[in-house]
Amino acid sequence: MIFSVLEALSAVLVLIGALFALVASIGILRFPDLYTRMHAASKAGTLGSGLMLLALAIHSLEPDVVTRALAGIIFFLLTAPISSHLLARAAYVVGYKPWDGTVRDDYKDYLDKGGQ
């Protein structure tokens, strides 16, 4: 009984993770500029990958697999936001401007005030 509940839970987590990965993919294809595409890839991609790793941990129930899956989740949560922030900053500094429909450009104001 408990194994069927865990299998059902892991199946639901895989489906939700796949849905987030699909949303990230659609966002990469549909959003108008680099920054919004990076937003979709980093947020939804990280959540989708984390949910699928969690499903793997629940499905296996082996301590070494669970440890690796949790380490992967922590790694994704720590590195994806930082790397996407650094990539967006580097893109902005070298001249990739936001989409024309962007309402606010706080980073431009920051750089105009002498920020680096």
Side-chain angles (χ1 to χ4, degrees):
M1 175 66 184
I2 192 161
F3 287 114
S4 63
V5 171
L6 291 178
E7 288 177 359
L9 179 63
S10 65
V12 168
L13 288 175
V14 166
L15 287 175
I16 293 172
L19 180 66
F20 275 105
L22 177 66
V23 167
S25 302
I26 292 171
I28 290 171
L29 292 174
R30 298 284 302 184
F31 282 154
D33 66 348
L34 173 76
Y35 306 104
T36 53
R37 290 178 184 156
M38 287 179 61
H39 176 77
S42 64
K43 304 292 184 203
T46 300
L47 188 56
S49 301
L51 286 174
M52 286 194 236
L53 283 173
L54 184 61
L56 173 69
I58 291 173
H59 182 73
S60 72
L61 292 179
E62 296 177 14
D64 56 341
V65 175
V66 170
T67 303
R68 289 181 192 151
L70 292 177
I73 292 170
I74 292 170
F75 180 77
F76 273 127
L77 291 176
L78 290 178
T79 59
I82 294 169
S83 62
S84 64
H85 172 77
L86 291 175
L87 285 172
R89 184 180 183 278
Y92 193 91
V93 169
V94 297
Y96 285 95
K97 296 298 175 202
W99 175 50
D100 292 337
T102 301
V103 178
R104 286 179 42 181
D105 189 359
D106 290 338
Y107 198 59
K108 181 179 185 298
D109 298 336
Y110 174 74
L111 289 178
D112 289 343
K113 291 179 183 174
Q116 295 182 358

